[in-house]
Amino acid sequence: MTETGVRAFFYDYKYYLFPEEMDTLAQIKQLRRFTARRLLEERCMAPDFIYESIIDEEVEIEEPNRLFEVYVTLRSGEEYDRVLLNHINRSCQGCVRYSDDGDDITGHHREMSLNGVCYERESESDPWEFAVCVDYFWWRIGEKRNELAACIDAGDQKKLNRILNREFTKFCFPLEYYGSVVDGKYTLHLKHTLFEPNVMTMIGCGVVACGADEYGTLTQAGWNIVSYREAGSFSYSGKTKIQDDTRIVGFLPSPNPNAYNLSVYHARGNALSEKRKEEIVQDIYDYLVSLCGEQYILAFLYGGVEFTDQKRNILSMKEVVRVLKEKAAEFEGISFPPYHGYGLGEGAEQFALPYRADIREGQTRCTEMSFFERSDFEGEPPLWSSLVSYAYLFVPRGPLDEGKPAETLIWYLSNLDSVPAPIRDEDETLVSNGTIGFAECEEDGFIIDMIVFGEKSFFRSLKRLAPVLRAFEVKLVLVNRDGLMVYECGYDFNPTEDTPLFFRKENLTNDK
């Protein structure tokens, strides 16, 4: 027996049958604690469930806006397995994860839904996704922790980075780390530069987040892995006599109204060679990092430096730090990586990607992605596309606006580690696909920008909050080295007709 179109509701990644005494979702939203029939995703996958995986469970509603009505299908476990086995026999051959076990379909229930789509399929020719490479990298580095500890004890930062990048550069551009001991724990700090591209900052922070996960090999061994150099963990060791021949003259306006450029005094001013200027700027940066930590510098120094040979209103480095910390206090703290504000003006439809022409106010941690536009498809794919993808969700204004769509959707995107087992495998990659920006599109809706370290895990994650995405009529735009595609969001991700013709993958080549 199969029941289709059965009323249910979705709350905090879990599914429940609609209580018999309730006629509307609004009635359920008035409740705070009650018992409901929960639809476990055990031996099945939403929106198809089996009778054998229904249990009674107490539900506590903390935030009614996270409640969504859905329609599901119920059937016996025997019938579910028969339908799933047909899909497996038709679709799974050729996947490296597949072995012909006859009628044994153990493990397939959390991989393939009854629409026959699996976001874990792998072929021999598929390259490893960046997220998988990073997982493997940290496992390898965990085996070398004694070598890294010896480098930190000896103060040998060059050898430490050689060990790390010997593994990392097998699949990515090199990153630079600084090793220290903080509160008795060996610690790796990701090291940045003042002019580092935002996208490399984001990629680096994603790598660090994976290594710093509580289940990571180094973390389990008692190490810390941090996204930036913290105050007190780094000692200035620059070769220039920064306290003798260089001073900060003052702060200059920058394109970012919440950040500064710097005016720097040097006896030779602009007569300095560009190489020498770069050395001095890096030295100033490192010296400030030693005083207050890298997060303050990257948040409030935009990156522009003007050299002058005129002494006027000279500030000490400690005074510069004071100004930066006062700026941080205005924001009640700072986030890292920092956000940059932006907006699009008149005529944006000539170059903006789908749904973005009406952006008037936004913020982003990664300008290289959020500022991506049509003309960027005309040349070689951007360097970052060989590692990661860029995606954004467009949420149109609609009748559910009173349900706080932005707040609700961001909550669901930010708490995916709360998806219950076994539908979320605890062995899934530790690299998180992260939100990098948010933008308002006048009266049309809003956009959430995301960096994608693994497309397969990204689609699996979005599928797990399909009721939310469908209720808000969300569109997904994905940009990778193959081009751009627009999808309808739900349990399936079907390409829409909104993809401009010259953006379609079949019309794009990488050798233009």
Side-chain angles (χ1 to χ4, degrees), residues 66-250:
R66 296 204 294 264
L67 272 164
F68 293 88
E69 186 171 353
V70 292
Y71 291 89
V72 302
T73 298
L74 300 178
R75 67 187 82 209
S76 69
E78 180 181 1
E79 182 182 355
Y80 189 103
D81 287 353
R82 179 179 55 77
V83 176
L84 182 59
L85 182 60
N86 288 336
H87 285 304
I88 293 169
N89 291 335
R90 186 181 67 252
S91 304
C92 291
Q93 285 84 354
C95 174
V96 298
R97 301 164 56 88
Y98 173 74
S99 58
D100 189 355
D101 298 321
D103 291 341
D104 183 4
I105 57 177
T106 302
H108 287 277
H109 296 94
R110 63 160 300 278
E111 297 175 344
M112 180 181 287
S113 62
L114 289 197
N115 62 5
V117 176
C118 175
Y119 290 112
E120 299 194 35
R121 182 180 177 85
E122 299 177 32
S123 70
E124 292 285 355
S125 60
D126 287 345
W128 280 15
E129 289 192 315
F130 185 73
V132 176
C133 292
V134 171
D135 264 351
Y136 183 70
F137 162 75
W138 283 117
W139 176 78
R140 290 279 292 164
I141 291 305
E143 294 187 321
K144 301 175 185 293
R145 60 184 178 273
N146 291 335
E147 294 178 61
L148 297 178
C151 292
I152 293 173
D153 290 340
D156 193 341
Q157 302 294 333
K158 288 185 178 180
K159 185 176 180 181
L160 178 138
N161 276 282
R162 281 200 302 271
I163 294 171
L164 290 164
N165 280 302
R166 192 179 299 136
E167 297 294 334
F168 193 66
T169 53
K170 291 177 180 178
F171 63 93
C172 188
F173 313 115
L175 294 175
E176 188 171 1
Y177 290 86
Y178 183 84
S180 70
V181 178
V182 179
D183 296 330
K185 285 189 173 185
Y186 287 112
T187 304
L188 291 177
H189 309 260
L190 186 61
K191 188 177 179 181
H192 304 272
T193 63
L194 194 56
F195 300 110
E196 182 174 74
N198 298 151
V199 69
M200 287 309 299
T201 301
M202 288 304 307
I203 289 173
C205 288
V207 172
V208 165
C210 175
D213 188 275
E214 62 178 314
Y215 299 108
T217 308
L218 281 180
T219 305
Q220 291 285 303
W223 284 57
N224 286 330
I225 307 174
V226 186
S227 295
Y228 49 81
R229 289 174 289 171
E230 302 165 293
S233 66
F234 169 73
S235 298
Y236 168 74
S237 58
K239 295 180 180 179
T240 62
K241 297 178 180 179
I242 195 166
Q243 293 180 327
D244 298 330
D245 65 359
T246 306
R247 292 286 191 277
I248 305 296
V249 172

Side-chain angles (χ1 to χ4, degrees), residues 335-400:
S335 61
F336 189 87
Y339 282 100
H340 304 276
Y342 74 98
L344 300 181
E346 296 296 329
E349 66 277 358
Q350 299 176 20
F351 55 84
L353 298 189
Y355 312 119
R356 301 183 73 87
D358 291 324
I359 290 178
R360 291 298 174 262
E361 185 177 1
Q363 56 181 355
T364 179
R365 286 174 161 164
C366 187
T367 54
E368 288 87 353
M369 289 182 167
S370 296
F371 292 1
F372 203 77
E373 56 187 50
R374 298 185 184 200
S375 61
D376 293 315
F377 287 100
E378 296 174 0
E380 291 294 319
L383 285 176
W384 53 259
S385 69
S386 64
L387 304 175
V388 297
S389 303
Y390 164 49
Y392 57 92
L393 302 176
F394 171 68
V395 187
R397 302 286 185 211
L400 292 180

Side-chain angles (χ1 to χ4, degrees), residues 250-302:
F251 293 99
L252 301 173
S254 79
N256 182 347
N258 295 317
Y260 306 103
N261 288 334
L262 289 179
S263 177
V264 175
Y265 164 78
H266 191 280
R268 294 171 56 200
N270 269 318
L272 291 166
S273 68
E274 290 304 314
K275 180 179 179 181
R276 182 60 178 146
K277 288 180 180 179
E278 290 176 8
E279 290 174 348
I280 291 174
V281 169
Q282 187 60 47
D283 235 27
I284 291 172
Y285 177 74
D286 286 341
Y287 191 79
L288 289 172
V289 168
S290 72
L291 294 178
C292 68
E294 206 158 21
Q295 71 274 34
Y296 287 95
I297 317 303
L298 293 179
F300 300 116
L301 293 185
Y302 191 75

